[in-house]
Each structure stands twice: as C-alpha cells, then as structure tokens.
Amino acid sequence: MANFIIIIDPDRDRRRRFVELMRTLVAPVGGLRPGECATGDFAALWAAAARAPVSSSAGEDGAVLVWGDAYGNDGTGRVDAAEMRALWKGPEPGAYPVFDGFYAAAVYEPGGPHAGITLGADLLGIFPVYYFSDGELFLAGSSPELFRHHPVFRQELDPAGLVGILLTMHLVDGRTLLKGVRRLAPGHLLRWSPAAGPCEILHYRIPVSDRYFSLPFSAHLDILDTVLDDAVARHAPAGEAYALLLSGGLDSRMLAGYLGKHGAGVTALTLGISTDLEMACALPVARTLGFRHRAVDLPFTSYPAYAGLQAAWEHVGNGFNNIVNWGLSPHLQTTAQRVVMGNIMDAAVGGSSLTLAYTPADRSMRFGKYFAKVNAWGIRADVLKKLLRQDIFGDLVDGTIERIRAIYEGYGELESHRVWCFNLNHRQRFHVGSDAWALSFGAWPVLPMLDRAVIESAGGMPAATLAERRAQKELFCLRFPPLAQLPLDRNSLDTEPLRPRLRHHLTHYLSDRIEPVRRAWQGAAALKEKKAVERRYYVRIYDINSPGWLAVRRQAEPYRERVMQVFNREVLDELLPPPDAPVAVKEGISDVSGMKTLLGILHWSKDYLP
C-alpha cells in the first residue's frame, strides 16, 4: 500500500500550509515515490514504492485515487481511477461493486447531490483507512500519525480505544488511541459530506452458510482447489516477476505450489540464517520448484528503529509484536514489484481458529472459551482492571468485553461461523494481515485470500472440514505430493513432512538409536552449548530477552513516567519490569505479547501524552 493523507478543508490558506508540511512528512521510510493531486477544497498526498500500482485523476469534476490492485466482477483485470469513478457513483454506496485484491480507493465529488467523498478498502479492511471529521474539516489516511499536524486537530487519548488494544492486542470496534479518530470497519465504505459528516455503510459481509454441508469431503477439496487455483492465477498472473515470502510452512508452501503450476517467475525470500529450521524447510521447496532463493536476516541492532516506526505509524493498533516487518522494504525493493504473501490462509481455508472456542469436557463451543484465547495475547481482564486508573476508565473493561461479545454473536447462528468470522475480521486483519502495511513500501503485497470466491467457498463448509487444517493439509498432499514429502516448518522443533518418504522414516529410525549414544559421548557441557543456539527463527526474533528487544525496552524506559497518568505504577512495574531484568516466560511469543503492547504504548506516549 501507499502511505496516504487526504484533506478536505474550505480554508484555503490553512489547507495550503498543511499540504506543504505533508510533502515533508508523508514518507515513513526512504526510497519512496511521492504523489499528489488536488481540486477545490480537496487534496491528497501519498508516498509509495517506485513501482507500486497507483492510479489517480483530478479535475473540476472531482478526484479519484486507487492504491493497489482492485479486481472487478467481470474478470477484466485491475480497476484504474477512470473505471473507479464510473463504478463508485450514485446515491446508494452500499450497492457499489465490491472488488477483490489488496487496495484502497477514494472518489471525491465537489458539488451536486453526491458532494463529498467515498473511501473503501479490500474485503477485510487490511489496507488501513483512518479518518477524523470536525465540521467542514475532513482528514483521512492510512495512518493517524499525520492528523496531529493539522491546527484544528486536538490530540487526546481515547480511553475506550486503549482498553480494546490492551485486552486483545488490536483495535476493537474501530476505536483508536486518539479521541475522534476511527479506523474504517471491515467490509464498509465511508461516506462523508460537510452537511452529513462521516457515515460507515455496509458494503461487504463475510458470507457464511451451509451451502456445502451436504457434500462429501472429496467435493470440498475439489471446490477449494478450484477457487485457490483461480485466485492465485488472477492475483499473480504469469508474465510478471514476484517475490514470495517462503517460511517453509504450509501456507507459503501451498502458494508456492500454485505459483509454480502457473509458471510465475518467483524469487523466494526466507527470513533468518542458514542454520534455522525454517531455512532448512524453505530451501528444498524453492529448489524443487526451480525458484530463485534469498535469505534475509534482520539484525538485532535495528530493532529500536523498527520499534520507533511501528509506534509512530501504526499507533499500536496491531499490537507491538511484529516490529521487524519494518526492516524488509529495502530487501523487497531490489527483488520484485510485487510480493506474494500467505497471510490469513490458515485462518480462511485452514480453520486454525475453529478449535479455540471448543471445550472437550462438554463438547461445546462458546464465547467465553474463545475470548480467553483472544485475551491471552493481551492483558488478562482482571489484571487490566488493576492496571488502569479507575477515575479515568471506570467500567470500560467490562463494557468492552460485552461489546466484543455482541460483535462476535452478530456473525451468525453457528458458533463455528462466529469464531471464523471474528478471527478473520480481527486477529487476521490486524495482527497477521498488518504485515502488508510495512512490506508494501518495498513491493506491493499480493494476498490471494482477499478473494470473494475463496472466502465464500470456505464460509459454506462445515467446521469438520476446515478445522485443524484438515482440508488444507489433504488438498496440499493431493495437489503437490513432491512438496508434501519435504520437511515442514511448524514454528516448532517438529519438521515432520506431511507425507514422509521411506528415506525419511529410515533416517529417523537410525537417529533415534544413535542419538542417545552421541549425547553420552558429547557430555553435558557440549549439550548445554548446543541448546543455547536457537534454531527456530520466530522464537528467536520474538524473544523478549534477546539483545534486540532489550534495546527496545531500554528505548521505551524514559517514557514510563508519562503513562502514569493512566496506569497504576505498581501494577505496571510488575507487568513491565525494568529493561535489564530478565523476563521468565513459558511460551515466548503469546506470553509476552501484552508486555510488548505496553512497550508500544510507552513509545507512542512520547508524542501523544503530555
């Protein structure tokens, strides 16, 4: 995506001064191409990678902008600004065409019955759209960071926004850390006019049904194969060069198989170093498919810079775990124009969230069990009540949980549908899908899961097909048997292939018998030294006690006093120890997620809390 800022302001001099300032601030990182257009009271500025797909037009009759790849219903390809002007026009925005792909778009009309602006984004709202309105002034952007530079804007903390982030590690109900600033809801268009103000209009709802419940499992596999194959062919057409984030896991490997089938020119990028298990799993996939391969290692010394970018431009709306994504753009800029990403595949067609609400004891699925899993990535509700100052937050924790429950229950009658939709619209949209925002400044993200046919097909299948990645694994083995025989990254020490070859069984058989002898020969000291080398990439980069995160913690420490206006000191000090104190954790990623969110709040407070 591009980083964009839109202003509609009838005060010409004030608008001019704001635009001049934005020209110096709109690029989050170096090496980006600036762009802008203006007409009447409207102006838009953006910064994007040199080859990012951006289409715009402006004249006396208005302005239109399309950032990214929006695919229409007729299969004719990507929609540009001229086509968008014709398609998003008329009195009923809810009836405007819905597009596949990763994009955001804006259509501005200066006068007439439809005067104002319409903004929208992809099916799940992964491309972020934030907005603020105060009378005749309207601001919108892919980040709220630039809003504070307008003289009318008053930066003030939104307590409800903070509670949502601390409970779940992401935004809840569009509320941000800034009062009056909202993020556009998934599947909605934003309509704004000086007379009516902002209004979010439902445009696309994730479709859930029992459409395929009566079909056999083999039919489900055929359907998923068809829609996935079509989506990859459509979103990543042959004839272009692509980067592929290849972790060695199932999602990126499955995309690699479909890309290879269609003859796409691919350079696979794997994060980490040569001794990582992820690298050992990804390299054979690239070799088997004939893809070029690059290893990318991001140094711990750069973590403080990444943390600063994440806090400033994402405002902790996606948590604070994935700061390293801000280091990838230079590597992508020299690789390809577009980067294919397997993000949200395991949730969309792998049903990875469906068991989170399940209680084996009584064979039931319920909100309480699911919310506990969501809350595990934030700060436990009972602890959060102690952390927050009662005089400011009152009963906002309980109220936010009830709001989350209402959103959850609104997704359908079946608990499996509720879990599936809530996960796509929240954790996948914010935490998993947010990778695209930072990566877009290097190469434009291609997410084949942002396709109506894929989502509708998966939404019509029973939990028994999707849950525990049953259909995804079986389809992968049937469709790409050579890849299923290779070691598979599971973010663990287990790299067992989905369909092991006889040689793999023999190797493990011998290893099981030789290993005890080897261990006895090496001795305890050698074993201790070996265990000190962490071969799991994701465990290493998320380690709160690593040199990188230690530097981030030290960087945040001077701002601890600033947040005492909203937090209780003793509780904060217990949840977020001093930077040089080692943190004992059982699970190195989810157990410290809440702590990292607090680190993000400290970083954010530097510019936003007095």
Side-chain angles (χ1 to χ4, degrees), residues 550 553-554 577-582:
L550 180 59
R553 292 162 63 188
R554 288 172 177 159
D580 293 313

Side-chain angles (χ1 to χ4, degrees), residues 102 143 154 222 230 233 243 252 421 430 436 471 494 503:
F102 181 66
S143 166
R154 295 291 180 266
D222 288 341
D230 290 347
S252 61
C421 290
F430 292 116
D494 177 17
R503 184 174 64 183

Side-chain angles (χ1 to χ4, degrees), residues 19 32 47 75 83 195 219 262 362 382 388 460 519 547 588:
V19 168
L32 302 183
E83 294 169 303
H262 292 291
D362 59 2
D382 59 327
L388 300 173
R519 286 182 179 180

Side-chain angles (χ1 to χ4, degrees), residues 504-516:
H504 180 87
H505 287 300
L506 289 173
T507 300
H508 276 255
Y509 175 82
L510 294 173
S511 177
D512 289 344
R513 282 149 180 77
I514 295 172
E515 185 67 12

Side-chain angles (χ1 to χ4, degrees), residues 75-110:
T76 55
R78 301 170 180 128
V79 175
D80 62 14
E83 294 169 303
M84 187 65 74
R85 180 191 296 274
L87 293 170
W88 277 10
K89 189 174 184 178
E92 299 294 337
Y96 289 179
V98 175
F99 305 110
D100 299 324
F102 181 66
Y103 74 96
V107 178
Y108 170 70
E109 296 185 56

Side-chain angles (χ1 to χ4, degrees), residues 33-273:
R33 178 190 63 187
E36 62 181 270
C37 67
T39 179
D41 296 340
F42 169 95
L45 299 93
W46 61 90
R51 296 177 290 174
V54 179
S55 177
S56 66
S57 68
E60 293 183 359
D61 57 345
V64 186
L65 300 116
V66 180
W67 298 281
D69 299 325
Y71 295 94
N73 296 320
D74 55 6
T76 55
R78 301 170 180 128
V79 175
D80 62 14
E83 294 169 303
M84 187 65 74
R85 180 191 296 274
L87 293 170
W88 277 10
K89 189 174 184 178
E92 299 294 337
Y96 289 179
V98 175
F99 305 110
D100 299 324
F102 181 66
Y103 74 96
V107 178
Y108 170 70
E109 296 185 56
H114 311 305
I117 190 169
T118 301
L119 293 102
D122 56 81
L123 302 177
L124 299 182
I126 289 177
F127 195 129
V129 176
Y130 296 88
Y131 64 93
F132 167 82
S133 177
D134 182 11
E136 293 183 316
L137 171 69
F138 175 77
L139 298 172
S142 49
S143 166
E145 170 63 12
L146 299 178
F147 295 1
R148 66 189 175 105
H149 297 286
H150 195 282
V152 170
F153 184 78
R154 295 291 180 266
Q155 55 190 56
E156 185 179 351
L157 177 71
D158 183 345
L162 177 58
V163 169
I165 290 171
L166 292 176
L167 274 175
T168 66
M169 189 194 59
H170 52 65
L171 302 184
V172 173
D173 205 22
R175 303 290 286 268
T176 72
L177 289 175
L178 293 173
K179 187 171 291 186
V181 175
R182 297 187 65 88
R183 179 162 170 172
L184 182 61
H188 284 68
L189 292 177
L190 176 66
R191 279 288 299 161
W192 177 89
S193 68
C199 178
E200 296 192 16
I201 301 166
L202 183 64
H203 189 220
Y204 171 83
R205 185 189 299 275
I206 294 177
V208 290
S209 68
D210 59 1
R211 180 178 180 183
Y212 301 121
F213 279 29
S214 62
L215 297 182
F217 182 64
S218 60
H220 295 166
L221 297 182
D222 288 341
I223 293 167
L224 288 176
D225 181 36
T226 298
V227 296
L228 288 172
D229 193 27
D230 290 347
V232 173
R234 186 183 186 206
H235 294 251
E240 298 184 30
Y242 299 94
L244 169 67
L245 293 186
L246 182 65
S247 69
L250 183 56
D251 295 333
S252 61
R253 180 175 302 201
M254 198 165 195
L255 282 182
Y258 283 113
L259 288 168
K261 171 182 179 290
H262 292 291
V266 175
T267 298
L269 272 68
T270 303
L271 308 183
I273 57 179

Side-chain angles (χ1 to χ4, degrees), residues 3-69:
N3 184 44
F4 74 87
I5 180 73
I6 289 173
I7 179 173
I8 302 175
D9 188 348
D11 188 320
R12 182 176 61 183
D13 289 339
R14 190 172 63 187
R15 185 180 66 251
R16 176 184 54 80
R17 290 192 298 270
F18 184 74
V19 168
E20 289 175 352
L21 180 59
M22 292 303 97
R23 289 182 182 132
T24 67
L25 299 176
V26 71
V29 297
L32 302 183
R33 178 190 63 187
E36 62 181 270
C37 67
T39 179
D41 296 340
F42 169 95
L45 299 93
W46 61 90
R51 296 177 290 174
V54 179
S55 177
S56 66
S57 68
E60 293 183 359
D61 57 345
V64 186
L65 300 116
V66 180
W67 298 281
D69 299 325

